[in-house]
Amino acid sequence: MQNKHYKMDIIPGIVIALFSIGYLALIPSIQTFTGLGSTPLTNHFVPYLWGGSLLVLSLWIIARGFRRRKKYLAEGGSIKKTSLKDALLERREVVASFAALTLYVGLMDLVGFVIMTVLYVFAQILILTPRENWGKTYVPAAITAAVSGGLLFYVFRYLLNVLLPVGILKLFGL
């Protein structure tokens, strides 16, 4: 009865499908940039490509979940209700990752790209590391977070000329 985890396809598939529909609905509000000339591709193309691909993949995951559910029931399995609390606790790493990502995006303008990226990478490393290994993970995680945050800022700001939120670092003239 390997198909007993069919809910792990259906529920995330629905969440991702709803997210992609919301994402696709917001694309027309992006101001069109025509650039230096006429082109059939605008700055809407890539978001539509990503959003459409995400929607197609999420629908595929949902269909796979329903196929697994059907096979599970055919094998003699029975459907058991799971409480929301148990489902969230079972996938606490996923929930913690979404919470960390939400905080990262929500606080980036206020705190700044560099600081939030360092904090996010550090937190994400700890989230994905088993708790019993945290003691030996702090220093490598901090080094990885600091290097990646600084490197990403340098690449985006100085090599790609992308303006990033400075946040509280503007108090220091940066």
Side-chain angles (χ1 to χ4, degrees):
M1 296 219 189
Q2 69 184 38
N3 294 303
K4 66 181 180 178
H5 298 292
Y6 63 88
K7 291 179 187 175
M8 298 313 297
D9 282 340
I10 296 172
I11 295 170
I14 291 171
V15 170
I16 294 169
L18 292 173
F19 173 80
S20 62
I21 290 169
Y23 179 81
L24 288 167
L26 292 173
I27 293 172
S29 67
I30 297 173
Q31 182 178 1
T32 303
F33 176 71
T34 56
L36 298 175
S38 175
T39 177
L41 302 177
T42 66
N43 54 337
H44 292 178
F45 175 74
V46 172
Y48 274 126
L49 178 67
W50 288 350
S53 298
L54 189 61
L55 182 59
V56 168
L57 291 172
S58 65
L59 294 174
W60 180 77
I61 291 171
I62 294 168
R64 183 178 70 179
F66 279 111
R67 283 192 309 272
R68 284 184 174 178
R69 180 180 186 270
K70 184 178 178 181
K71 190 172 182 180
Y72 174 67
L73 293 174
E75 293 171 348
S78 63
I79 296 176
K80 298 174 189 163
K81 290 194 175 196
T82 306
S83 73
L84 180 60
K85 179 183 175 186
D86 291 341
L88 292 175
L89 286 175
E90 186 177 328
R91 298 291 178 227
R92 62 183 162 269
E93 293 88 1
V94 175
V95 174
S97 293
F98 273 110
L101 184 60
T102 301
L103 286 171
Y104 174 65
V105 172
L107 294 174
M108 189 177 301
D109 279 339
L110 178 67
V111 179
F113 176 83
V114 175
I115 294 172
M116 284 310 300
T117 300
V118 169
L119 292 174
Y120 173 73
V121 170
F122 182 77
Q124 194 63 53
I125 290 171
L126 292 182
I127 289 168
L128 297 175
T129 302
R131 192 173 295 259
E132 59 270 8
N133 295 338
W134 277 14
K136 55 187 171 186
T137 305
Y138 287 125
V139 173
I143 292 170
T144 302
V147 169
S148 62
L151 187 63
L152 284 171
F153 179 77
Y154 176 79
V155 167
F156 279 103
R157 180 65 185 99
Y158 296 107
L159 298 179
L160 299 174
N161 291 322
V162 175
L163 293 176
L164 297 169
V166 178
I168 60 174
L169 292 179
K170 65 182 157 196
L171 297 174
F172 302 104
L174 298 173

